[in-house]
Amino acid sequence: MPKISLKVNGKAVSAEVEGRTLLVELLREKLGLTGTHVGCDTSQCGACVVHVNGDSVKSCTMLALQADGADVTTIEGLAQPDGTLHPMQAMFREHHALQCGFCTPGMVMSAIDIVQKHPEGLSEAEIREELEGNLCRCTGYHNIVKAIAAAFPLMHQKQAA
Amino acid sequence: MYDFAYQKPASVADAVKLLAGDPEAKAVAGGQTFLPVLKQRLNKPSLVVDLAGLGLSGIKQSANALSIGAMTTHATVARSAEVKKAIPGLAQLASWIGDNQVRHRGTIGGSLANNDPSACYPAAVLALGATIKTNKRAIKADDFFQGMFTTALEPDEIITEVEFPLPVEKSAYEKFRQPASRYAMVGVFVAKGPAGVRVAVTGAGQNGVFRVADMEAALAKSFAPDAIAAIKVSPEGLNSDIHGSAAYRAHLITVMAKRAVAAAG
Ligand SMILES: Cc1cc2nc3c(=O)[nH]c(=O)nc-3n(C[C@H](O)[C@H](O)[C@H](O)COP(=O)(O)OP(=O)(O)OC[C@H]3O[C@@H](n4cnc5c(N)ncnc54)[C@H](O)[C@@H]3O)c2cc1C
Ligand code: FES
Ligand code: FES
């Protein structure tokens, strides 16, 4: 089986994978990072979103082999080692942006990407549009949108500092 | 998914050799169509050839053309200042494909090679009279699309770049999204440029993208929404499915074309 080496949440890892092994399977089954969820396995729901080289991608629609040499961040890689949450996670908690929590890891990873890619600012309508690839069956989205709007100044402040 | 061997060659020549040497080998670009197809076991390649190592990503502008490398992602095209300036309708089209995650992986070459009858890029390529360049030849958009999921490409032929002639005076894309998949139920690209005034429709035709000659003639005389308001497209040969009948799609074509003309200014 081919062997790949990549960085996951800042740590170098290597693994043997099959041609057909998906990135999400590598993360969950080989690396034990079960925070990344599989909701649909058909590229629709966004529960599996992680960052690959700084872009949000659906890890159910990428081969592990395509991530050879890449820098991958999952939901597990967001909080500080002392447990301090990433501002996006903190705002999801603050604004009650989750109920069952199944969509949440992918939602948070997409949300961070959206905020990072729009330093110029985001309207509520733009946040909703940008969340196109993430489905939530519980919250009705309102609180998710509020959480992202609230995280925006925190994330950009931190980057400016 | 059935298992397969995987190779990531570093040159177009090597990629072509791998594809030519094995009738069951398939190329993968962004994988946003290919992997869902493999998951459904609709395809069983022996070897998957990853095109990501060929250096085919990037946007170049010269005096009379904008060239987009086959592996350039939808997100890159959507955000490109050069594309926004030279062909705003093209950047807009890319920004409406799927969602952020699909746009971060999906590529222009993959979209064209796949020629899904409801894909967006074929409309732009046809309306702008672009040329599809491969490892073997240059193919005019008018000759490239050959019906649903069918193109002029040979099995061992790789799209390397897509060349859009400049200057483009007007361009706009309007898309009526299928509400669940976000693919085009009807998408219309209108353009005025070196290829003349063109109107290309995707999503509607059973044989994929097509041009509307009556609208093109009317717009060449007067580039205004009113010029095409009375032009009706026949429902014959259009798709009918649970999302909409052929007659509904035929009606939408005129509506979307008018909006596109208005947006193109
Ligand atoms: C949820 C979702 C929503 C989507 N919505 C839209 C939409 O609204 N509009 C739209 O247009 N598309 C949409 N798509 C499709 C998306 O644009 C795909 O990215 C695109 O159709 C295929 O590009 P790819 O790079 O992913 O190609 P792949 O999936 O990797 O490949 C597709 C096919 O093309 C071949 N191929 C790829 N590159 C080349 C090349 N350079 N030369 C020769 N052959 C090649 C492959 O062998 C394969 O057969 C959507 C996809 C998903 C998953
Ligand atoms: S599990 Fe990947 S998009 Fe739903
Ligand atoms: S919180 Fe349950 S799916 Fe989003």
Side-chain angles (χ1 to χ4, degrees), chain A residues 1 9 16 22 37 39 61 64 85 89 91 95-96 134 142:
Chain A
M1 277 201 293
N9 298 330
E16 284 193 355
L22 298 169
H37 292 166
T61 312
L85 294 178
Q89 292 172 303
M91 289 303 105
H95 291 274
H96 194 59
N134 291 79
H142 293 314

Side-chain angles (χ1 to χ4, degrees), chain A residues 80-120:
Chain A
Q80 312 266 321
D82 70 358
T84 307
L85 294 178
H86 184 283
M88 190 62 78
Q89 292 172 303
M91 289 303 105
F92 265 62
R93 182 166 72 182
E94 172 88 15
H95 291 274
H96 194 59
L98 57 145
Q99 289 178 24
C100 80
F102 194 84
C103 71
T104 312
M107 221 29 114
V108 167
M109 297 313 286
S110 284
I112 291 172
D113 181 64
I114 293 167
V115 169
Q116 282 172 343
K117 299 275 163 67
H118 291 273
E120 75 284 2

